């Protein structure tokens, strides 16, 4: 599972977190390519998740990807054993909240990764709909 996490200066995100577990961090893709190449033949970056998994690594973080944005590769069986494309909700536990430790139920109806039923700026999400009081006391 590949992600483009929003880190500074791109830090405006959806407030969804994952546990990166045991991770390898590289400044650039070139460094990762060299390191993975030392662990065995690598056709391209599509092999990185399988190689990391074999070495007990949960995630690979690239601080600067090809679009100058960070990348996160989750090397789990749930991500590497997919027979079809994963939608917006990845097959892993998600978290939210100020400390990133509250459970998050992914909003499968969204076009971006976010938690369902999370209020934004004091308003319900689109999935909840806007409910206004009728004013008739009922």
């Amino acid at each position: 599972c590949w992600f483009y996490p929003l880190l500074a200066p791109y830090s405006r995100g959806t407030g969804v977190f994952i546990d990166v577990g045991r991770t390898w961090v590289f400044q650039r893709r070139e460094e990762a390519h060299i390191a993975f190449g030392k662990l065995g033949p690598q056709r391209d970056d599509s092999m990185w998740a399988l190689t990391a998994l074999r070495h007990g690594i949960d995630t690979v973080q690239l601080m600067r990807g090809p679009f100058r944005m960070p990348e996160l590769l989750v090397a789990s069986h749930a991500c590497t054993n997919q027979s079809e494309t994963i939608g917006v909700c990845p097959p892993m536990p998600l978290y939210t909240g100020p400390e990133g430790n509250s459970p998050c139920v992914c909003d499968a109806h969204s076009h971006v990764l976010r938690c369902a039923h999370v209020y934004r700026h004091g308003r319900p999400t689109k999935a909840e709909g806007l409910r206004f009081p009728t004013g008739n006391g009922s």
Side-chain angles (χ1 to χ4, degrees), residues 77-102:
H77 289 288
C79 289
T80 58
N81 292 336
Q82 293 295 315
S83 59
E84 55 189 54
T85 302
I86 299 171
V88 71
C89 296
M92 66 192 66
L94 301 174
Y95 303 94
T96 191
E99 302 296 319
N101 58 3
S102 299

Side-chain angles (χ1 to χ4, degrees), residues 39-96:
L39 298 174
Q42 304 291 311
R43 180 175 62 238
D44 53 32
D45 62 7
S46 67
M47 300 298 294
W48 292 358
L50 295 173
T51 301
L53 193 59
R54 275 197 313 270
H55 287 84
I57 300 302
D58 302 307
T59 59
V60 177
Q61 298 178 55
L62 303 169
M63 301 314 292
R64 186 175 175 142
F67 306 110
R68 296 184 176 206
M69 293 180 66
E71 291 181 66
L72 176 66
L73 170 61
V74 177
S76 69
H77 289 288
C79 289
T80 58
N81 292 336
Q82 293 295 315
S83 59
E84 55 189 54
T85 302
I86 299 171
V88 71
C89 296
M92 66 192 66
L94 301 174
Y95 303 94
T96 191

